[in-house]
Amino acid sequence: MGDCFEEIAAGLAAVARGFHARGWLLGTSGNLSAVVQREPLQIAMSPSCVDKGELCAEQLLSIDENARIIGQQGGKPSDESLLHIRIVNERGAGAVLHTHSIWNTILSDLYAVDGGIKIEGYEMLKGLQGVRTHEHAEWLPIVENSQDMPALAETIAATLNQHKAAHGFLLRRHGLYSWGENLAQAKRHIEILEFLLEAIGRTSNMRNHSR
Ligand SMILES: [Zn+2]
């Protein structure tokens, strides 16, 4: 592992600490990854059971296409590594980020019956890659949660194929996944989607109270 891994690991650790400070990765939840090399696949992955508010670059793990640790490192990669690898393969993503915020958890349950959330008319949508106008309608699919990671990876691959324009998806009562060509773009997408989910959640809350 050369300078490239160390640089990527430092970037992931910095994003983790920032997201933790916003309350999106509490209690060791959530996970982050970025591609170091594509052929053969090598991914820098956050470890399992580590406080993301204190994550440092040295704790990031290098894994292969089967989520196995490359080299002699200690530690255990996140349980959700298989999902990250699948998103990298399906979308050609350079980084995949996963948050457990209050708002993404609430809305992933509230809208589960519809199979997703339609987000449209917000200026912040323009922060999503390729979106030029607030009139864009973003469909954020919701997938039922599971602890069976190989099966969940299959469901997610099918969902991504069905919704080719989606910039992210929700796991029900669990959290948000988004990705980007690189870490900066993936971080931007999470920030945009978290903002929009909170805006939708708060708006619906206020409407219900003002009735
Ligand atoms: Zn999770």
Side-chain angles (χ1 to χ4, degrees), residues 134-186:
H134 66 281
E135 289 171 350
H136 170 77
E138 178 78 13
W139 180 254
L140 193 62
I142 300 172
V143 174
E144 199 62 42
N145 193 27
S146 168
Q147 303 303 323
D148 181 342
M149 290 304 149
L152 190 52
E154 290 303 320
T155 308
I156 285 165
T159 302
L160 294 178
N161 277 312
Q162 201 185 339
H163 303 285
K164 292 213 181 281
H167 292 81
F169 63 86
L170 291 163
L171 291 179
R172 187 179 184 189
R173 291 190 174 186
H174 176 161
L176 168 70
Y177 268 88
S178 189
W179 52 86
E181 289 166 23
N182 50 43
L183 181 58
Q185 192 183 100

Tab-separated table of all heavy atoms in Angstrom, residues 134-186:
chain	number	residue	atom	x	y	z
A	134	HIS	N	-33.820	23.042	-10.130
A	134	HIS	CA	-34.610	22.653	-8.953
A	134	HIS	C	-35.852	21.861	-9.354
A	134	HIS	O	-36.485	21.242	-8.509
A	134	HIS	CB	-35.016	23.896	-8.164
A	134	HIS	CG	-35.966	24.791	-8.900
A	134	HIS	ND1	-35.548	25.657	-9.882
A	134	HIS	CD2	-37.311	24.918	-8.827
A	134	HIS	CE1	-36.595	26.301	-10.366
A	134	HIS	NE2	-37.681	25.875	-9.755
A	135	GLU	N	-36.194	21.917	-10.641
A	135	GLU	CA	-37.391	21.192	-11.096
A	135	GLU	C	-37.144	19.686	-11.236
A	135	GLU	O	-38.063	18.929	-11.507
A	135	GLU	CB	-37.883	21.777	-12.427
A	135	GLU	CG	-38.484	23.157	-12.237
A	135	GLU	CD	-38.773	23.863	-13.546
A	135	GLU	OE1	-38.329	23.365	-14.606
A	135	GLU	OE2	-39.430	24.912	-13.495
A	136	HIS	N	-35.896	19.277	-11.077
A	136	HIS	CA	-35.539	17.858	-11.132
A	136	HIS	C	-36.337	17.057	-10.082
A	136	HIS	O	-36.546	17.532	-8.970
A	136	HIS	CB	-34.040	17.721	-10.842
A	136	HIS	CG	-33.571	16.311	-10.642
A	136	HIS	ND1	-33.376	15.440	-11.683
A	136	HIS	CD2	-33.270	15.615	-9.509
A	136	HIS	CE1	-32.952	14.264	-11.203
A	136	HIS	NE2	-32.890	14.345	-9.891
A	137	ALA	N	-36.770	15.859	-10.456
A	137	ALA	CA	-37.416	14.962	-9.487
A	137	ALA	C	-36.483	13.797	-9.203
A	137	ALA	O	-36.189	13.001	-10.099
A	137	ALA	CB	-38.753	14.472	-10.032
A	138	GLU	N	-35.986	13.741	-7.998
A	138	GLU	CA	-35.075	12.663	-7.579
A	138	GLU	C	-35.886	11.579	-6.877
A	138	GLU	O	-36.635	11.871	-5.948
A	138	GLU	CB	-34.016	13.230	-6.632
A	138	GLU	CG	-33.030	12.214	-6.090
A	138	GLU	CD	-31.940	11.818	-7.096
A	138	GLU	OE1	-31.795	12.504	-8.131
A	138	GLU	OE2	-31.260	10.810	-6.833
A	139	TRP	N	-35.737	10.350	-7.331
A	139	TRP	CA	-36.391	9.228	-6.655
A	139	TRP	C	-35.351	8.526	-5.787
A	139	TRP	O	-34.345	8.028	-6.286
A	139	TRP	CB	-37.000	8.256	-7.672
A	139	TRP	CG	-37.674	7.087	-7.019
A	139	TRP	CD1	-37.212	5.803	-6.956
A	139	TRP	CD2	-38.942	7.089	-6.340
A	139	TRP	NE1	-38.113	5.019	-6.270
A	139	TRP	CE2	-39.179	5.772	-5.879
A	139	TRP	CE3	-39.895	8.079	-6.053
A	139	TRP	CZ2	-40.328	5.414	-5.153
A	139	TRP	CZ3	-41.034	7.720	-5.341
A	139	TRP	CH2	-41.250	6.408	-4.908
A	140	LEU	N	-35.588	8.518	-4.483
A	140	LEU	CA	-34.680	7.870	-3.540
A	140	LEU	C	-35.335	6.553	-3.114
A	140	LEU	O	-36.246	6.539	-2.287
A	140	LEU	CB	-34.475	8.808	-2.336
A	140	LEU	CG	-33.349	8.495	-1.363
A	140	LEU	CD1	-31.983	8.549	-2.027
A	140	LEU	CD2	-33.388	9.488	-0.186
A	141	PRO	N	-34.891	5.432	-3.700
A	141	PRO	CA	-35.547	4.154	-3.398
A	141	PRO	C	-35.334	3.736	-1.938
A	141	PRO	O	-34.324	4.099	-1.327
A	141	PRO	CB	-34.849	3.153	-4.334
A	141	PRO	CG	-34.059	3.954	-5.308
A	141	PRO	CD	-33.775	5.266	-4.652
A	142	ILE	N	-36.290	2.970	-1.405
A	142	ILE	CA	-36.169	2.413	-0.049
A	142	ILE	C	-36.159	0.893	-0.144
A	142	ILE	O	-37.056	0.291	-0.732
A	142	ILE	CB	-37.330	2.878	0.854
A	142	ILE	CG1	-37.330	4.405	0.969
A	142	ILE	CG2	-37.217	2.227	2.251
A	142	ILE	CD1	-38.539	4.982	1.691
A	143	VAL	N	-35.120	0.305	0.435
A	143	VAL	CA	-34.941	-1.152	0.412
A	143	VAL	C	-35.157	-1.674	1.834
A	143	VAL	O	-34.689	-1.061	2.801
A	143	VAL	CB	-33.505	-1.503	-0.073
A	143	VAL	CG1	-33.236	-2.993	0.017
A	143	VAL	CG2	-33.279	-0.982	-1.491
A	144	GLU	N	-35.876	-2.793	1.959
A	144	GLU	CA	-36.108	-3.395	3.276
A	144	GLU	C	-34.760	-3.804	3.894
A	144	GLU	O	-33.898	-4.357	3.208
A	144	GLU	CB	-37.019	-4.618	3.107
A	144	GLU	CG	-37.699	-5.077	4.370
A	144	GLU	CD	-38.655	-4.055	4.995
A	144	GLU	OE1	-39.420	-3.393	4.257
A	144	GLU	OE2	-38.619	-3.929	6.225
A	145	ASN	N	-34.595	-3.550	5.186
A	145	ASN	CA	-33.330	-3.866	5.860
A	145	ASN	C	-33.164	-5.382	6.047
A	145	ASN	O	-34.147	-6.121	6.071
A	145	ASN	CB	-33.304	-3.172	7.215
A	145	ASN	CG	-31.924	-3.172	7.846
A	145	ASN	OD1	-30.920	-3.219	7.147
A	145	ASN	ND2	-31.871	-3.109	9.156
A	146	SER	N	-31.924	-5.832	6.167
A	146	SER	CA	-31.640	-7.249	6.388
A	146	SER	C	-30.245	-7.385	6.987
A	146	SER	O	-29.391	-6.515	6.798
A	146	SER	CB	-31.705	-7.999	5.054
A	146	SER	OG	-31.171	-9.293	5.189
A	147	GLN	N	-30.005	-8.467	7.716
A	147	GLN	CA	-28.652	-8.753	8.218
A	147	GLN	C	-27.941	-9.753	7.307
A	147	GLN	O	-26.778	-10.095	7.540
A	147	GLN	CB	-28.712	-9.303	9.659
A	147	GLN	CG	-29.413	-8.382	10.650
A	147	GLN	CD	-28.795	-6.989	10.716
A	147	GLN	OE1	-27.588	-6.833	10.617
A	147	GLN	NE2	-29.632	-5.971	10.863
A	148	ASP	N	-28.639	-10.237	6.288
A	148	ASP	CA	-28.047	-11.177	5.332
A	148	ASP	C	-27.384	-10.356	4.221
A	148	ASP	O	-28.030	-9.961	3.246
A	148	ASP	CB	-29.165	-12.078	4.772
A	148	ASP	CG	-28.637	-13.105	3.773
A	148	ASP	OD1	-27.510	-12.929	3.257
A	148	ASP	OD2	-29.369	-14.075	3.491
A	149	MET	N	-26.102	-10.069	4.394
A	149	MET	CA	-25.424	-9.117	3.495
A	149	MET	C	-25.343	-9.588	2.039
A	149	MET	O	-25.572	-8.786	1.137
A	149	MET	CB	-24.034	-8.763	4.035
A	149	MET	CG	-24.100	-7.916	5.290
A	149	MET	SD	-25.061	-6.394	5.048
A	149	MET	CE	-25.729	-6.183	6.691
A	150	PRO	N	-25.031	-10.871	1.761
A	150	PRO	CA	-25.025	-11.275	0.345
A	150	PRO	C	-26.395	-11.082	-0.313
A	150	PRO	O	-26.482	-10.603	-1.448
A	150	PRO	CB	-24.630	-12.768	0.409
A	150	PRO	CG	-23.864	-12.900	1.697
A	150	PRO	CD	-24.533	-11.950	2.649
A	151	ALA	N	-27.480	-11.424	0.415
A	151	ALA	CA	-28.829	-11.255	-0.141
A	151	ALA	C	-29.163	-9.774	-0.307
A	151	ALA	O	-29.728	-9.360	-1.334
A	151	ALA	CB	-29.858	-11.926	0.770
A	152	LEU	N	-28.785	-8.973	0.686
A	152	LEU	CA	-29.065	-7.532	0.616
A	152	LEU	C	-28.296	-6.892	-0.552
A	152	LEU	O	-28.827	-6.023	-1.251
A	152	LEU	CB	-28.699	-6.871	1.953
A	152	LEU	CG	-29.131	-5.422	2.154
A	152	LEU	CD1	-30.614	-5.219	1.877
A	152	LEU	CD2	-28.801	-4.959	3.583
A	153	ALA	N	-27.065	-7.363	-0.777
A	153	ALA	CA	-26.268	-6.847	-1.903
A	153	ALA	C	-26.978	-7.126	-3.231
A	153	ALA	O	-26.989	-6.275	-4.135
A	153	ALA	CB	-24.874	-7.469	-1.892
A	154	GLU	N	-27.612	-8.294	-3.336
A	154	GLU	CA	-28.357	-8.640	-4.564
A	154	GLU	C	-29.563	-7.712	-4.737
A	154	GLU	O	-29.840	-7.225	-5.834
A	154	GLU	CB	-28.849	-10.103	-4.507
A	154	GLU	CG	-27.752	-11.147	-4.616
A	154	GLU	CD	-26.915	-11.005	-5.882
A	154	GLU	OE1	-27.488	-10.720	-6.952
A	154	GLU	OE2	-25.686	-11.154	-5.793
A	155	THR	N	-30.298	-7.497	-3.648
A	155	THR	CA	-31.476	-6.618	-3.711
A	155	THR	C	-31.062	-5.205	-4.117
A	155	THR	O	-31.729	-4.546	-4.920
A	155	THR	CB	-32.170	-6.571	-2.329
A	155	THR	OG1	-32.394	-7.903	-1.893
A	155	THR	CG2	-33.484	-5.825	-2.387
A	156	ILE	N	-29.939	-4.753	-3.551
A	156	ILE	CA	-29.466	-3.397	-3.858
A	156	ILE	C	-29.043	-3.295	-5.323
A	156	ILE	O	-29.363	-2.317	-6.005
A	156	ILE	CB	-28.314	-3.014	-2.901
A	156	ILE	CG1	-28.912	-2.710	-1.516
A	156	ILE	CG2	-27.529	-1.814	-3.420
A	156	ILE	CD1	-27.906	-2.663	-0.406
A	157	ALA	N	-28.370	-4.325	-5.821
A	157	ALA	CA	-27.968	-4.312	-7.238
A	157	ALA	C	-29.201	-4.223	-8.132
A	157	ALA	O	-29.214	-3.453	-9.107
A	157	ALA	CB	-27.166	-5.565	-7.559
A	158	ALA	N	-30.256	-4.973	-7.795
A	158	ALA	CA	-31.485	-4.941	-8.593
A	158	ALA	C	-32.129	-3.550	-8.517
A	158	ALA	O	-32.594	-3.005	-9.524
A	158	ALA	CB	-32.459	-6.005	-8.090
A	159	THR	N	-32.119	-2.958	-7.324
A	159	THR	CA	-32.702	-1.618	-7.141
A	159	THR	C	-31.930	-0.574	-7.952
A	159	THR	O	-32.521	0.296	-8.598
A	159	THR	CB	-32.684	-1.246	-5.639
A	159	THR	OG1	-33.411	-2.243	-4.922
A	159	THR	CG2	-33.297	0.114	-5.390
A	160	LEU	N	-30.607	-0.668	-7.930
A	160	LEU	CA	-29.781	0.296	-8.671
A	160	LEU	C	-30.003	0.163	-10.178
A	160	LEU	O	-30.009	1.163	-10.904
A	160	LEU	CB	-28.297	0.107	-8.339
A	160	LEU	CG	-27.886	0.431	-6.901
A	160	LEU	CD1	-26.405	0.162	-6.691
A	160	LEU	CD2	-28.212	1.877	-6.556
A	161	ASN	N	-30.210	-1.064	-10.635
A	161	ASN	CA	-30.475	-1.277	-12.055
A	161	ASN	C	-31.842	-0.763	-12.466
A	161	ASN	O	-32.043	-0.293	-13.583
A	161	ASN	CB	-30.333	-2.756	-12.400
A	161	ASN	CG	-28.873	-3.095	-12.626
A	161	ASN	OD1	-28.180	-2.393	-13.346
A	161	ASN	ND2	-28.392	-4.138	-11.980
A	162	GLN	N	-32.786	-0.864	-11.528
A	162	GLN	CA	-34.141	-0.390	-11.798
A	162	GLN	C	-34.206	1.142	-11.794
A	162	GLN	O	-35.010	1.731	-12.511
A	162	GLN	CB	-35.063	-0.943	-10.705
A	162	GLN	CG	-36.523	-0.973	-11.088
A	162	GLN	CD	-37.378	-1.412	-9.900
A	162	GLN	OE1	-36.886	-2.053	-8.957
A	162	GLN	NE2	-38.644	-1.064	-9.944
A	163	HIS	N	-33.365	1.768	-10.975
A	163	HIS	CA	-33.387	3.230	-10.841
A	163	HIS	C	-32.015	3.778	-11.192
A	163	HIS	O	-31.236	4.158	-10.319
A	163	HIS	CB	-33.786	3.616	-9.412
A	163	HIS	CG	-35.093	3.059	-8.988
A	163	HIS	ND1	-36.302	3.563	-9.427
A	163	HIS	CD2	-35.394	2.001	-8.199
A	163	HIS	CE1	-37.294	2.857	-8.909
A	163	HIS	NE2	-36.783	1.897	-8.165
A	164	LYS	N	-31.725	3.813	-12.481
A	164	LYS	CA	-30.370	4.129	-12.943
A	164	LYS	C	-29.949	5.565	-12.644
A	164	LYS	O	-28.760	5.866	-12.587
A	164	LYS	CB	-30.249	3.830	-14.427
A	164	LYS	CG	-30.334	2.331	-14.718
A	164	LYS	CD	-29.474	1.956	-15.906
A	164	LYS	CE	-29.553	0.487	-16.241
A	164	LYS	NZ	-28.733	-0.347	-15.374
A	165	ALA	N	-30.931	6.463	-12.470
A	165	ALA	CA	-30.580	7.862	-12.232
A	165	ALA	C	-30.432	8.182	-10.748
A	165	ALA	O	-30.035	9.293	-10.388
A	165	ALA	CB	-31.651	8.765	-12.849
A	166	ALA	N	-30.733	7.227	-9.868
A	166	ALA	CA	-30.701	7.507	-8.425
A	166	ALA	C	-29.285	7.813	-7.948
A	166	ALA	O	-28.327	7.175	-8.374
A	166	ALA	CB	-31.275	6.319	-7.653
A	167	HIS	N	-29.180	8.807	-7.055
A	167	HIS	CA	-27.886	9.182	-6.473
A	167	HIS	C	-27.680	8.531	-5.105
A	167	HIS	O	-26.653	8.761	-4.459
A	167	HIS	CB	-27.798	10.698	-6.314
A	167	HIS	CG	-27.733	11.442	-7.616
A	167	HIS	ND1	-28.852	11.713	-8.367
A	167	HIS	CD2	-26.679	11.963	-8.301
A	167	HIS	CE1	-28.489	12.385	-9.454
A	167	HIS	NE2	-27.185	12.544	-9.441
A	168	GLY	N	-28.681	7.781	-4.637
A	168	GLY	CA	-28.571	7.139	-3.334
A	168	GLY	C	-29.769	6.234	-3.111
A	168	GLY	O	-30.645	6.111	-3.986
A	169	PHE	N	-29.818	5.580	-1.962
A	169	PHE	CA	-31.001	4.814	-1.565
A	169	PHE	C	-31.020	4.732	-0.041
A	169	PHE	O	-30.008	5.005	0.629
A	169	PHE	CB	-31.009	3.407	-2.199
A	169	PHE	CG	-29.860	2.530	-1.783
A	169	PHE	CD1	-29.915	1.763	-0.630
A	169	PHE	CD2	-28.698	2.498	-2.542
A	169	PHE	CE1	-28.842	0.971	-0.245
A	169	PHE	CE2	-27.610	1.704	-2.158
A	169	PHE	CZ	-27.696	0.948	-1.005
A	170	LEU	N	-32.202	4.377	0.480
A	170	LEU	CA	-32.357	4.217	1.924
A	170	LEU	C	-32.566	2.750	2.251
A	170	LEU	O	-33.228	2.027	1.500
A	170	LEU	CB	-33.577	5.009	2.418
A	170	LEU	CG	-33.469	6.529	2.366
A	170	LEU	CD1	-34.857	7.163	2.479
A	170	LEU	CD2	-32.549	7.057	3.458
A	171	LEU	N	-32.019	2.316	3.379
A	171	LEU	CA	-32.374	1.020	3.938
A	171	LEU	C	-33.394	1.331	5.039
A	171	LEU	O	-33.159	2.220	5.871
A	171	LEU	CB	-31.149	0.322	4.531
A	171	LEU	CG	-30.088	-0.162	3.543
A	171	LEU	CD1	-28.920	-0.803	4.288
A	171	LEU	CD2	-30.683	-1.162	2.550
A	172	ARG	N	-34.497	0.609	5.054
A	172	ARG	CA	-35.594	0.934	5.964
A	172	ARG	C	-35.184	0.857	7.442
A	172	ARG	O	-34.618	-0.148	7.874
A	172	ARG	CB	-36.764	-0.011	5.703
A	172	ARG	CG	-37.987	0.388	6.481
A	172	ARG	CD	-39.131	-0.548	6.200
A	172	ARG	NE	-40.303	-0.086	6.887
A	172	ARG	CZ	-41.428	-0.782	6.982
A	172	ARG	NH1	-41.528	-1.941	6.370
A	172	ARG	NH2	-42.454	-0.293	7.651
A	173	ARG	N	-35.529	1.914	8.171
A	173	ARG	CA	-35.208	2.046	9.609
A	173	ARG	C	-33.730	1.819	9.891
A	173	ARG	O	-33.339	1.360	10.953
A	173	ARG	CB	-36.031	1.065	10.457
A	173	ARG	CG	-37.489	1.401	10.510
A	173	ARG	CD	-38.200	0.564	11.536
A	173	ARG	NE	-39.573	0.988	11.696
A	173	ARG	CZ	-40.384	0.498	12.626
A	173	ARG	NH1	-39.942	-0.428	13.462
A	173	ARG	NH2	-41.615	0.910	12.709
A	174	HIS	N	-32.898	2.143	8.904
A	174	HIS	CA	-31.475	1.854	9.021
A	174	HIS	C	-30.632	3.060	8.604
A	174	HIS	O	-29.984	3.656	9.446
A	174	HIS	CB	-31.168	0.591	8.195
A	174	HIS	CG	-29.732	0.219	8.140
A	174	HIS	ND1	-29.299	-1.036	7.801
A	174	HIS	CD2	-28.603	0.946	8.362
A	174	HIS	CE1	-27.978	-1.073	7.843
A	174	HIS	NE2	-27.545	0.111	8.172
A	175	GLY	N	-30.655	3.445	7.341
A	175	GLY	CA	-29.801	4.572	6.970
A	175	GLY	C	-29.752	4.847	5.478
A	175	GLY	O	-30.468	4.230	4.691
A	176	LEU	N	-28.881	5.794	5.134
A	176	LEU	CA	-28.746	6.293	3.763
A	176	LEU	C	-27.412	5.841	3.170
A	176	LEU	O	-26.389	5.872	3.850
A	176	LEU	CB	-28.778	7.826	3.792
A	176	LEU	CG	-28.388	8.581	2.521
A	176	LEU	CD1	-29.449	8.406	1.424
A	176	LEU	CD2	-28.188	10.071	2.815
A	177	TYR	N	-27.456	5.442	1.905
A	177	TYR	CA	-26.233	5.198	1.132
A	177	TYR	C	-26.186	6.198	-0.013
A	177	TYR	O	-27.187	6.424	-0.695
A	177	TYR	CB	-26.238	3.788	0.521
A	177	TYR	CG	-25.587	2.730	1.386
A	177	TYR	CD1	-26.328	2.040	2.336
A	177	TYR	CD2	-24.233	2.435	1.257
A	177	TYR	CE1	-25.729	1.072	3.134
A	177	TYR	CE2	-23.633	1.470	2.044
A	177	TYR	CZ	-24.377	0.792	2.982
A	177	TYR	OH	-23.781	-0.157	3.763
A	178	SER	N	-25.010	6.785	-0.240
A	178	SER	CA	-24.788	7.549	-1.462
A	178	SER	C	-23.341	7.333	-1.895
A	178	SER	O	-22.553	6.739	-1.158
A	178	SER	CB	-25.104	9.032	-1.264
A	178	SER	OG	-25.083	9.686	-2.518
A	179	TRP	N	-23.004	7.793	-3.056
A	179	TRP	CA	-21.684	7.530	-3.629
A	179	TRP	C	-21.325	8.657	-4.582
A	179	TRP	O	-22.143	9.555	-4.843
A	179	TRP	CB	-21.700	6.194	-4.392
A	179	TRP	CG	-22.817	6.128	-5.382
A	179	TRP	CD1	-22.817	6.585	-6.677
A	179	TRP	CD2	-24.142	5.627	-5.121
A	179	TRP	NE1	-24.061	6.401	-7.226
A	179	TRP	CE2	-24.888	5.808	-6.307
A	179	TRP	CE3	-24.774	5.048	-4.007
A	179	TRP	CZ2	-26.230	5.437	-6.404
A	179	TRP	CZ3	-26.103	4.677	-4.114
A	179	TRP	CH2	-26.814	4.865	-5.310
A	180	GLY	N	-20.107	8.599	-5.110
A	180	GLY	CA	-19.691	9.599	-6.086
A	180	GLY	C	-18.486	9.087	-6.851
A	180	GLY	O	-17.930	8.039	-6.519
A	181	GLU	N	-18.096	9.863	-7.861
A	181	GLU	CA	-16.915	9.487	-8.651
A	181	GLU	C	-15.673	9.496	-7.772
A	181	GLU	O	-14.700	8.797	-8.046
A	181	GLU	CB	-16.724	10.482	-9.798
A	181	GLU	CG	-17.773	10.338	-10.885
A	181	GLU	CD	-17.799	11.534	-11.836
A	181	GLU	OE1	-16.775	12.251	-11.953
A	181	GLU	OE2	-18.858	11.747	-12.454
A	182	ASN	N	-15.683	10.364	-6.763
A	182	ASN	CA	-14.567	10.442	-5.818
A	182	ASN	C	-15.135	10.797	-4.444
A	182	ASN	O	-16.349	11.001	-4.295
A	182	ASN	CB	-13.535	11.484	-6.284
A	182	ASN	CG	-14.225	12.804	-6.620
A	182	ASN	OD1	-15.113	13.255	-5.894
A	182	ASN	ND2	-13.844	13.415	-7.729
A	183	LEU	N	-14.263	10.874	-3.452
A	183	LEU	CA	-14.716	11.115	-2.081
A	183	LEU	C	-15.422	12.465	-1.941
A	183	LEU	O	-16.454	12.561	-1.261
A	183	LEU	CB	-13.522	11.011	-1.117
A	183	LEU	CG	-13.835	11.208	0.366
A	183	LEU	CD1	-14.878	10.209	0.857
A	183	LEU	CD2	-12.565	11.102	1.199
A	184	ALA	N	-14.880	13.498	-2.587
A	184	ALA	CA	-15.489	14.831	-2.468
A	184	ALA	C	-16.925	14.818	-2.996
A	184	ALA	O	-17.841	15.394	-2.386
A	184	ALA	CB	-14.645	15.855	-3.230
A	185	GLN	N	-17.132	14.131	-4.121
A	185	GLN	CA	-18.486	14.092	-4.702
A	185	GLN	C	-19.435	13.252	-3.823
A	185	GLN	O	-20.596	13.605	-3.628
A	185	GLN	CB	-18.433	13.524	-6.121
A	185	GLN	CG	-19.722	13.729	-6.877
A	185	GLN	CD	-19.682	13.089	-8.254
A	185	GLN	OE1	-20.199	12.008	-8.477
A	185	GLN	NE2	-19.032	13.768	-9.193
A	186	ALA	N	-18.933	12.136	-3.290
A	186	ALA	CA	-19.767	11.297	-2.411
A	186	ALA	C	-20.162	12.074	-1.156
A	186	ALA	O	-21.315	12.010	-0.706
A	186	ALA	CB	-19.008	10.028	-2.047
